[in-house]
Amino acid sequence: MLNARTRFLFLGFCCFFLLSACAAKKELPKVFYPPAPDAPRIQYLVSYSTEKDLKQGVFSRRLAEQIGDLGFGIHRARSSAFWDNKLYVVDSRLRGVARFDLLAEKGGLLVEASSLLIKPMDIAVDRNGTKFVTDPDGSKIAAIDVNEKVIKLYREPAGFRPLGIAVDDQYIYAAELKTNRLYIIDKQSGSVVKTIGEEAGLRWPSSVALGPGGSIYVANLAAFNVIQLDSEANKLSEIGKIGDYAGSFSRPKGVAVDREGRVYVLDAAFENVQVFNSKGKLLMFFASTGPQPQDLVSPASISIDYNNVDYFQQFAAPGFTLEYVIAVSNQAGPSRVNIYGFGMMQDVDYRRYE
């Protein structure tokens, strides 16, 4: 039997959390880009920094906050990618790869893979679920299978320092700042089959993305642009130039491409993302620096995912249907990985914006 004092404290504790839970149910404003009165195309959905952010139950979230147990957390998110309801995050401070399981609401470090990495920087996942992580200080790329076991280390050419990475069914595309080159590596043999360098305009290539038809996009830090190559790695075009106005870049650090050929370019100096059509015309931009969860602080990479739309639809505003989600990794600030959704609002005529 509980004595009177214990019962009183227990009831007070329960009331406190019930009131906290009720307060937490208050809807936060939905953040759209571009803002009204323009037709909304991108909505900020949610951010992940600790295990607490994975919890969907109001009570469990408030309990974690009140007792100060936020669970496993990310320190400096250098890059991120989704696979099978899991968000994989490269943390440069933890010097490893973390997993945030959206359904199990658990997070943690991939111990075996992280023990082999010296300074991981970027991650890409192929359609079979194999994760490829660049480790420039270790002069390698690590391949991690669906069971989160390291199955292969790519070390060719000897001494190279891969930074940005993209993968398809046959090849790995690894960018290297040191030599201003993009290496195309055969996934099966590990051999370099082709290199592209300054002849294609590469100068400090920092990020790589694949687009429709096998096209290749490379973000150039020192050239302040994005180079578009065809599937044979022949140069097609350039997007952007140095400047401090819309459509120009100061520090293009990340690039991602959707299935329609829209090109997303993350600028670490502007701390925003600019979106271009397949012909290089600026369509819009989103996000900015600041103290709010949707803001970017020292952003490092961007990626696009189509496979987890059903899960993230719960965070969308009523009537806003997601087509895909966009993950932006931050090395500092209020949120380590921000998730945005690209979609369309019900009963809005988007033809005038095409």
Side-chain angles (χ1 to χ4, degrees), residues 128-157:
N128 297 316
T130 302
K131 293 155 282 292
F132 297 82
V133 180
T134 59
D135 183 12
D137 284 10
S139 297
K140 63 180 178 293
I141 298 168
I144 306 165
D145 69 8
V146 293
N147 297 313
E148 300 177 353
K149 302 295 183 182
V150 176
I151 55 174
K152 191 177 183 68
L153 296 176
Y154 297 86
R155 297 183 179 275
E156 188 177 333

Side-chain angles (χ1 to χ4, degrees), residues 92-292:
S92 59
R93 180 170 292 178
L94 292 177
R95 297 187 176 185
V97 180
R99 176 214 325 104
F100 274 29
D101 191 318
L102 303 178
L103 300 184
E105 300 183 352
K106 295 289 185 180
L109 200 64
L110 305 190
V111 177
E112 178 190 316
S114 299
S115 68
L116 297 175
L117 301 170
I118 298 174
K119 190 177 181 181
M121 295 297 286
D122 201 5
I123 185 170
V125 186
D126 68 15
R127 65 177 179 175
N128 297 316
T130 302
K131 293 155 282 292
F132 297 82
V133 180
T134 59
D135 183 12
D137 284 10
S139 297
K140 63 180 178 293
I141 298 168
I144 306 165
D145 69 8
V146 293
N147 297 313
E148 300 177 353
K149 302 295 183 182
V150 176
I151 55 174
K152 191 177 183 68
L153 296 176
Y154 297 86
R155 297 183 179 275
E156 188 177 333
F160 84 138
R161 297 171 59 84
L163 182 59
I165 191 170
V167 295
D168 60 21
D169 291 342
Q170 188 173 2
Y171 299 117
I172 300 168
Y173 304 81
E176 186 186 45
L177 291 177
K178 178 183 175 182
T179 59
N180 293 321
R181 302 199 73 77
L182 175 70
Y183 293 91
I184 301 179
I185 302 168
D186 183 271
K187 287 169 67 176
Q188 187 67 31
S189 68
S191 300
V192 176
V193 298
K194 191 169 187 177
T195 64
I196 302 94
E198 294 182 1
E199 72 280 1
L202 299 190
R203 295 176 57 197
W204 286 21
S206 61
S207 179
V208 190
L210 302 180
S215 54
I216 308 165
Y217 294 79
V218 185
N220 268 323
L221 276 173
F224 308 98
N225 63 13
V226 171
I227 300 294
Q228 180 188 7
L229 309 169
D230 64 18
S231 59
E232 300 298 321
N234 300 305
K235 183 178 178 179
L236 295 177
S237 64
E238 299 179 7
I239 298 174
K241 59 183 177 180
I242 188 172
D244 58 0
Y245 51 89
S248 65
F249 305 124
S250 180
R251 197 179 180 196
K253 203 168 186 180
V255 61
V257 186
D258 72 9
R259 292 173 179 172
E260 302 300 318
R262 300 182 190 93
V263 183
Y264 289 72
V265 184
L266 171 68
D267 196 301
F270 296 158
E271 294 183 305
N272 70 0
V273 179
Q274 298 185 70
V275 187
F276 301 81
N277 69 11
S278 59
K279 299 184 183 301
K281 177 184 177 182
L282 179 66
L283 299 175
M284 61 172 289
F285 66 89
F286 69 92
S288 63
T289 189
Q292 301 304 315

